[in-house]
Amino acid sequence: MTALERAQAAAYPAGEYVGQQGFMRAGEIRTLAHQARVGPGVSVLDLCCGVAGPGRMITAESGCQYLGVDHSASALATAQERAGNLPCRFGQAHLPPLPDGPFEVVFLLETMLAFADKEALVGEVARVLERGGRFAFTVEEGRPLTGQERARMPAADTVWPIELAELTGVLREAGLTAIWRQEHSSAHHAIATELLRCYRADSPQIAGQIGVQATADLITAHRLWSEWLGSGRVRKFAMVAEKQ
């Protein structure tokens, strides 16, 4: 386990770290998968899967037919290696467009934030879902960042929160109806705060792995997420929307 992974794992309660950066706990991912009716044989497309920690857990526990897609070849290589004998498939792509379906479930965990054009993204999700299919995702809810906030946040070109009313409209225009929603703001504030503490404590070792500037950016980003989730500037939700 790398220095970065050790710091991430230390931030989570026992059994809740899924081997991937983010604020979602294993139990929250299981609940989202359950609400999306993931089960044996269900076809699942996992967008921006990274090293597929959540995807591998869901596949192992549900017996679904899993396809994880990401733009990073190195992340996908790690995902494939860690999947071992699990029946997981992986593909490299820059999204959107999405792989042709139909799929019963599309997952997007912790990365809707990175898509500035959410209409294009959600439209593609709706296209590849079968009728009655479910879009299971997490979303950072709030007003667009101000110029001052964008100046403070590293990689601000991947930070695009959206207000719930606007998101509901985007889903509706694509033929999707929200059927379940659960707020995780308090829990994710706690994880962000603990990650910040762990990153600071292990910063020399992490810097030796990813570099001094990348480590400084990681700490700055998590300090801002801790502030924003704690103050209500941003709220965090898990949601499921169904294709009509």
Side-chain angles (χ1 to χ4, degrees):
M1 186 179 285
T2 67
L4 184 58
E5 288 172 326
R6 283 194 300 272
Q8 290 165 351
Y12 287 79
E16 293 293 336
Y17 179 58
V18 296
Q20 188 159 339
Q21 185 174 346
F23 299 155
M24 289 285 282
R25 306 177 189 214
E28 295 166 352
I29 296 166
R30 289 189 183 99
T31 297
L32 181 59
H34 173 74
Q35 293 295 331
R37 305 196 297 280
V38 175
V42 171
S43 56
V44 174
L45 173 64
D46 186 10
L47 304 177
C48 306
C49 68
V51 300
R56 288 180 277 113
M57 182 186 77
I58 291 167
T59 302
E61 295 181 356
S62 74
C64 65
Q65 296 180 357
Y66 175 89
L67 171 61
V69 177
D70 198 273
H71 74 276
S72 169
S74 61
L76 292 171
T78 299
Q80 189 71 67
E81 179 184 358
R82 294 180 180 178
N85 294 324
L86 287 172
C88 296
R89 297 181 296 124
F90 298 99
Q92 185 178 10
H94 184 79
L95 308 175
L98 274 55
D100 288 332
F103 298 94
E104 293 170 83
V105 176
V106 172
F107 267 102
L108 181 65
L109 301 182
E110 306 287 74
T111 44
M112 182 176 279
L113 186 73
F115 291 87
D117 189 346
K118 291 177 174 49
E119 291 86 353
L121 170 69
V122 173
E124 274 291 285
V125 170
R127 181 183 67 82
V128 304
L129 278 174
E130 66 178 32
R131 187 170 297 278
R134 284 82 63 196
F135 179 31
F137 61 94
T138 59
V139 62
E140 291 78 8
E141 191 272 340
R143 302 178 311 280
L145 300 190
T146 65
Q148 185 178 37
E149 288 170 335
R150 301 197 74 78
R152 294 171 64 201
M153 173 61 80
D157 59 338
T158 63
V159 181
W160 304 97
I162 184 172
E163 294 183 274
L164 276 182
E166 182 180 354
L167 176 61
T168 300
V170 170
L171 292 167
R172 184 173 57 246
E173 285 298 312
L176 302 173
T177 301
I179 60 172
W180 178 82
R181 184 177 79 201
Q182 188 170 69
E183 186 168 0
H184 292 311
S185 300
S186 177
H188 288 198
H189 170 247
I191 292 293
T193 302
E194 190 61 16
L195 280 167
L196 175 61
R197 185 190 69 79
C198 292
Y199 290 151
R200 281 173 168 163
D202 292 345
S203 59
Q205 294 86 351
I206 295 171
Q209 178 191 342
I210 66 173
V212 173
Q213 187 58 55
T215 302
D217 288 347
L218 189 69
I219 289 171
T220 297
H222 282 77
R223 177 172 53 80
L224 289 172
W225 284 120
S226 178
E227 289 177 8
W228 292 351
L229 287 164
S231 67
R233 167 63 180 88
V234 174
R235 296 189 297 164
K236 189 70 174 288
F237 291 92
M239 296 180 66
V240 178
E242 189 170 79
K243 182 173 178 178
Q244 302 305 302

